[in-house]
Amino acid sequence: MLFDSLDDIRAFCRDLPAGDARAAASAANRQQNLTKPPGSLGRLEELAIWLAQWQGRESPRLDRVTVTVFAGNHGVAARGVSAYPPAVTEQMVANFTAGGAAINQIAGLAGADLHVVPIELARPTHDFTVAAAMDTDEFLTAVDIGYRTVPEDCDLLAVGEMGIANTTTAAMLCAALLGGGAVRWAGRGTGVDDEGLARKRTAIDAALAFHRGILGNPLAVAPALGGRELAGIAGAVLAARRHHIPVLLDGFVATSAVLPLARLDPGALNHCRAGHVSAEAGHRELLRELGLKALLDLDMRLGEASGAGLAILLARAALVCHAGMATFAEAGVSGTDG
Amino acid sequence: MLFDSLDDIRAFCRDLPAGDARAAASAANRQQNLTKPPGSLGRLEELAIWLAQWQGRESPRLDRVTVTVFAGNHGVAARGVSAYPPAVTEQMVANFTAGGAAINQIAGLAGADLHVVPIELARPTHDFTVAAAMDTDEFLTAVDIGYRTVPEDCDLLAVGEMGIANTTTAAMLCAALLGGGAVRWAGRGTGVDDEGLARKRTAIDAALAFHRGILGNPLAVAPALGGRELAGIAGAVLAARRHHIPVLLDGFVATSAVLPLARLDPGALNHCRAGHVSAEAGHRELLRELGLKALLDLDMRLGEASGAGLAILLARAALVCHAGMATFAEAGVSGTDG
């Protein structure tokens, strides 16, 4: 395994590769000369410069774009925290494979390959209200699986997930690492009713009490209160950093999956952008905590990388403008009067 | 001409075709059965239903998508309200034709045809601080040109503009029809400095005084305080309504161009969606007044249909999900526990 211990992850996060400041500066300079008022393409300009920075290329490319959806099952589902039965995780993985899910359509439109990575669906994590969700080895195995999914020649990676009950897990990680209790982080997920929401809050607060000795410790919290698909996402995001691949994060669950990395190193997510902000209550709050500004805000709350997949379209728009627009000199367009 | 008088436009707006409620209901029903929690695709679901409603098809299509950019020149430019000289309008039209502008790249990515419609660039409107910008005939001619640009078999129309000084014109229309004076509506446009912004406000407030007799009257204000490219947009939006074509509006200027229509009939823009909200100060305020919620918020302020063009990508995403996703029954995925 790549990471034989939690300390290996800690060490990896202390030595993360930086972006390429020179490529970023060159891209920013080109943006200034394109036929538009400086800054008028807003976040498209920022995206082009970010792609340049993390790919290390003044002219970034998006020839190979990958969407990876990790799936896992959760012991806490037994607490009645979701509107859907746990069997839906595996059924939706089959739907991804058959091409019938939203992310199949979105990835196809965005010109991205879709990888689906179920991690031990037959072995849900333990119910974290009464035990550790995973032991260290189980966690490291899932991180390792995620790390190894990332193709080194990928130009942009979008990560998402599928796992019945995993908005409870996401809220759990946030509550354990950022405070505020269940009331701050628990939302309706796939559409749980009032009673289900109450059960979700009860489960989270019970787990906060049970695990009170590890709260605030990212590498203790991630195994004990996380999930296999979340660990897979964290592994993939680390691999992307190592291989100079920019990353688009999906919604609340995918963002919570990398929260432990950000708590280990405040710059750990510099190669990531939030593809969207979901309608799930805690996501906006989590993005604020992480200093991430979402690219899209479309009231979506589906997961499966659907928001990050849409954001690929914006990255492509940023790229075609960056590469294809004429400069003022080329087009014979006058600059400002000033 | 289609409209021989302002009264013809008034009469047209009193008899606007409705959307197809049955197609919308069928599309909404299909969305409920697709493999996702109901509502979880957020605005993508709403877009699919909206396309169905205005195309009159349960399964909407986006085979022919058109981006139309109208261009015009403005007498008020002589007041020093823009960071760029008026010659840039024509230079940018040449840039559109040569393929070097942002909208060329965005329309290409979005699979849309780009139409560029300069309207009498050699004849700027009159300076509205001291005269009517256009007389009735000039206005009706520009509306007519806009109306005739719309292909009847178009599945989706995105409208935008190019015209140095036209954020002053847009702010003018808003101030004249919605109140609040220059301070509420004037922003920095292409990036005018403090002195330019002061000149912009002075011009708008002077025109409000000069034209005080017509303020609040949409069909008097649109010629006297508008612009040819704005009139063209209004004509195109009316044609789209007639031909059952949904419309994506671009930024502040394009939205202000259809404000007079909304003042004639509160439902006149029901077939329109705001492609984005721009960074130009007045746009968010104008959208609020019109009850339109923007699809994108990317700090863009370029015009030339760039924001509406990006929103085509979201319409395509809505469509591929609507058409391509499996239903719960087809995929063998369980529904909610409840």
Side-chain angles (χ1 to χ4, degrees), chain B residues 2-3 7 9 43 49 55 64 68 71 156 166-167 171 178 194-195 204 215 226 244 267 274 279 306-307 323 338:
Chain B
L2 236 129
F3 302 110
D7 277 340
I9 293 181
R43 297 210 67 193
I49 296 164
Q55 291 187 3
R64 183 171 186 183
T68 307
L156 177 65
N166 71 7
T167 60
L178 298 170
D194 286 352
E195 289 172 11
I204 291 167
L215 303 183
H244 305 282
S306 53

Side-chain angles (χ1 to χ4, degrees), chain A residues 40 43 83 91 100 301 326 334 337, chain B residues 40 83 91 100 298 301 326 334 337:
Chain A
S40 62
R43 296 210 68 190
Q91 290 165 357
R301 50 181 172 78
S334 308
D337 278 345
Chain B
S40 63
Q91 292 165 356
L298 294 167
R301 50 182 172 79
S334 309
D337 278 344

Side-chain angles (χ1 to χ4, degrees), chain A residues 35-44 82-88 91-92 94-95 99-103 105-106 109 189-191 293-302 304 306 310 313-314 316-318 320-328 331-338, chain B residues 35-44 82-88 91-92 94-95 99-103 105-106 109 189-191 293-302 304 306 310 313-314 316-318 320-328 331-338:
Chain A
T35 43
K36 59 182 171 53
S40 62
L41 278 179
R43 296 210 68 190
L44 292 194
S82 177
Y84 291 83
V88 167
Q91 290 165 357
M92 282 301 296
N95 196 24
I103 190 57
Q105 323 312 318
I106 291 170
L109 180 69
T190 50
K293 192 177 167 197
L295 288 160
L296 293 163
D297 183 359
L298 294 166
D299 291 324
M300 290 165 60
R301 50 181 172 78
L302 175 57
E304 67 184 50
S306 53
L310 284 180
L313 295 167
L314 299 183
R316 289 203 182 279
V320 293
C321 288
H322 188 72
M325 285 178 70
T327 62
F328 279 97
V333 173
S334 308
T336 58
D337 278 345
Chain B
T35 43
K36 57 181 172 53
S40 63
L41 278 178
R43 297 210 67 193
L44 293 194
S82 175
Y84 291 83
V88 167
Q91 292 165 356
M92 282 302 295
N95 195 24
I103 190 56
Q105 324 313 317
I106 291 169
L109 180 69
T190 49
K293 192 177 166 196
L295 287 161
L296 292 163
D297 183 0
L298 294 167
D299 292 324
M300 289 165 61
R301 50 182 172 79
L302 176 57
E304 66 182 52
S306 53
L310 283 181
L313 295 167
L314 299 183
R316 289 203 181 278
V320 294
C321 289
H322 188 71
M325 285 178 70
T327 62
F328 278 97
V333 173
S334 309
T336 58
D337 278 344

